[in-house]
Amino acid sequence: MFRKIGVSGFAPAKQCVRGLAKDLRFGNDARAEMLKGVNLLADAVSLTLGPKGRNVIIEQAFGGPKITKDGVTVAKAIDLECKLQNTGARLVQDVANNTNEQAGDGTTTATILARSIATDGFAAVSKGANPTQVRKGIMIAVETVVAELKAQSKPVSDAEEIAQVATISANGDREVGELIAKAISRVGKNGVVTVKDGKTLSDELEVIEGMKFDRGYISPYFINSTKGQKVEYQDCLVLATQKKISAVQSIVPALELAHSLRKPLLVIAEDVESEPLWCSCSEQVEDRTSNSCGKGTWIGDNRKNQIRDIAVATGATVFGEEGAELKIEDIQASDLGSAVRLLSPRTTPLFFTARATRWILRSEYWTSLKN
């Protein structure tokens, strides 16, 4: 502390305080503090272990408290005041996050194992063991345990076993487990099952048979349903092309075909320029033909494969393929695909078709792509 001379004599000077200084710890002192954070997080997460696990109430910055039994959710919510202890907790949080991303379950078990490994590992290093050799020993043990677990594992084959696994994941709720098993049996093992909060008194299962891509209609003039600002068609025609539609003459034959067949037309292209887009919009506004244009955000081969998949699912011919001489100006009625129902909000259009043979072709097409 320094002193400065003032009018009334000597007076204490202000102290210089540095902000954001680092707290350096080494050796056993650092490991002990980090282990405290590991134990605090593991104690909170371990309560949710297994079907008989307890629920945890988490305070949130917005809204009411959250009640959960998910280990990774509890781990993410923990933030300790001591920075060194929080560093140890973050290490275990990474374990829970990686387990959730790779396996989707078992985060509580992974957290408990991580605490045991950290406790014994820190103890071995404190007694003079080489940290590198300790890590090598841990990796050898992991490989041995994983190989043994794979040898003992049994693949899930029927709906009853799926219901048993789903019941455990649903905190022992047999009704929810059977509903999830029924959903998986309907969509298949490669299907997508989404759980949403409902407003009804009972659980319901809704199966959507169709496909979607990540862009909606281009112009708001295509909207025909004011509720929800969406485009909704029944029994519509589908035109698919790999190229950009830049001239009005290229899209007029398709519009005339749709008008003669008295069916709405959906155009899927790399992009649609302003003139052909306005031509389609004017047809919609004048109520001559119901139209909608959409473009995909895919890039490279992914874009080509997605448009081909849409064409196979709807029975359409893909124009603009490399090496093909098909021109969109020479389109015939047989080149247009069909969809039983089209629902297109601003962001995610959905195709629906009831022709099972086309879905068989689609599955065969994906098999050829994977091979």
Side-chain angles (χ1 to χ4, degrees):
M1 180 179 291
F2 301 94
R3 293 184 180 274
K4 64 180 181 179
I5 300 176
V7 178
S8 58
F10 291 96
K14 295 183 178 180
Q15 285 185 327
C16 295
V17 180
R18 292 184 59 192
L20 302 177
K22 297 294 183 180
D23 183 13
L24 301 179
R25 303 286 184 91
F26 301 94
N28 294 333
D29 187 17
R31 287 190 288 268
E33 290 297 321
M34 291 177 62
L35 192 58
K36 288 181 181 179
V38 172
N39 289 327
L40 286 173
L41 186 141
D43 288 340
V45 175
S46 62
L47 296 174
T48 65
L49 180 63
K52 298 293 184 179
R54 304 295 183 89
N55 291 328
V56 176
I57 302 177
I58 302 174
E59 180 186 8
Q60 300 186 109
F62 301 96
K66 185 175 184 179
I67 303 175
T68 182
K69 191 175 167 292
D70 185 22
V72 67
T73 305
V74 177
K76 288 180 179 179
I78 295 177
D79 190 10
L80 303 178
E81 183 177 1
C82 177
K83 292 184 178 181
L84 200 55
Q85 293 180 7
N86 193 56
T87 302
R90 292 292 182 187
L91 294 177
V92 184
Q93 284 180 355
D94 291 340
V95 174
N97 290 332
N98 293 336
T99 305
N100 184 51
E101 292 176 0
Q102 297 181 14
D105 198 3
T107 54
T108 303
T109 304
T111 302
I112 295 174
L113 290 174
R115 172 168 64 174
S116 179
I117 293 173
T119 302
D120 294 341
F122 286 170
V125 173
S126 300
K127 294 177 182 179
N130 189 337
T132 304
Q133 297 299 324
V134 171
R135 179 186 178 278
K136 288 182 179 179
I138 293 174
M139 298 307 297
I140 294 173
V142 168
E143 293 176 358
T144 304
V145 171
V146 170
E148 183 63 25
L149 289 176
K150 288 183 177 180
Q152 296 180 7
S153 63
K154 177 184 177 182
V156 177
S157 56
D158 55 6
E160 180 62 27
E161 294 179 345
I162 296 176
Q164 293 172 359
V165 176
T167 301
I168 294 176
S169 299
N171 297 333
D173 193 332
R174 181 68 182 179
E175 183 179 354
V176 175
E178 291 179 351
L179 191 65
I180 294 174
K182 184 179 179 181
I184 294 176
S185 64
R186 291 284 300 275
V187 302
K189 293 183 178 180
N190 295 326
V192 178
V193 178
T194 304
V195 180
K196 295 182 179 179
D197 293 333
K199 297 181 180 180
T200 59
L201 297 177
S202 60
D203 299 325
E204 297 178 354
L205 174 61
E206 181 182 2
V207 180
I208 300 177
E209 296 180 354
M211 59 180 303
K212 67 179 180 180
F213 62 97
D214 55 354
R215 285 295 295 270
Y217 49 82
I218 298 178
S219 173
Y221 285 101
F222 295 128
I223 296 174
N224 63 351
S225 177
T226 55
K227 183 179 180 181
Q229 298 292 307
K230 59 188 177 182
V231 179
E232 188 171 1
Y233 293 142
Q234 302 290 337
D235 192 18
C236 68
L237 303 174
V238 180
L239 169 62
T241 176
Q242 299 276 18
K243 301 296 183 180
K244 181 187 298 184
I245 299 178
S246 55
V248 178
Q249 293 79 6
S250 61
I251 200 173
V252 167
L255 294 175
E256 292 178 349
L257 278 175
H259 179 66
S260 63
L261 295 174
R262 298 295 180 181
K263 291 183 178 181
L265 176 65
L266 171 67
V267 180
I268 301 174
E270 179 184 358
D271 197 2
V272 182
E273 295 291 346
S274 57
E275 290 186 2
L277 179 61
W278 175 247
C279 179
S280 299
C281 292
S282 62
E283 292 279 328
Q284 176 84 7
V285 172
E286 295 173 4
D287 201 21
R288 293 186 58 204
T289 307
S290 298
N291 305 311
S292 181
C293 298
K295 65 177 182 178
T297 57
W298 318 295
I299 300 175
D301 292 337
N302 188 30
R303 174 178 60 83
K304 297 179 182 179
N305 293 335
Q306 289 283 0
I307 293 180
R308 290 170 185 166
D309 190 30
I310 292 172
V312 172
T314 58
T317 300
V318 181
F319 292 90
E321 290 277 13
E322 296 180 0
E325 297 181 357
L326 293 175
K327 295 183 179 180
I328 195 172
E329 293 85 355
D330 303 329
I331 189 172
Q332 303 294 326
S334 58
D335 297 327
L336 295 173
S338 63
V340 173
R341 182 169 177 254
L342 167 70
L343 176 63
S344 176
R346 183 68 177 175
T347 54
T348 53
L350 299 175
F351 290 91
F352 295 88
T353 180
R355 300 187 181 181
T357 54
R358 288 178 179 169
W359 287 108
I360 294 173
L361 287 173
R362 177 173 179 264
S363 63
E364 293 176 353
Y365 173 71
W366 274 116
T367 302
S368 65
L369 280 182
K370 293 178 181 178
N371 295 334

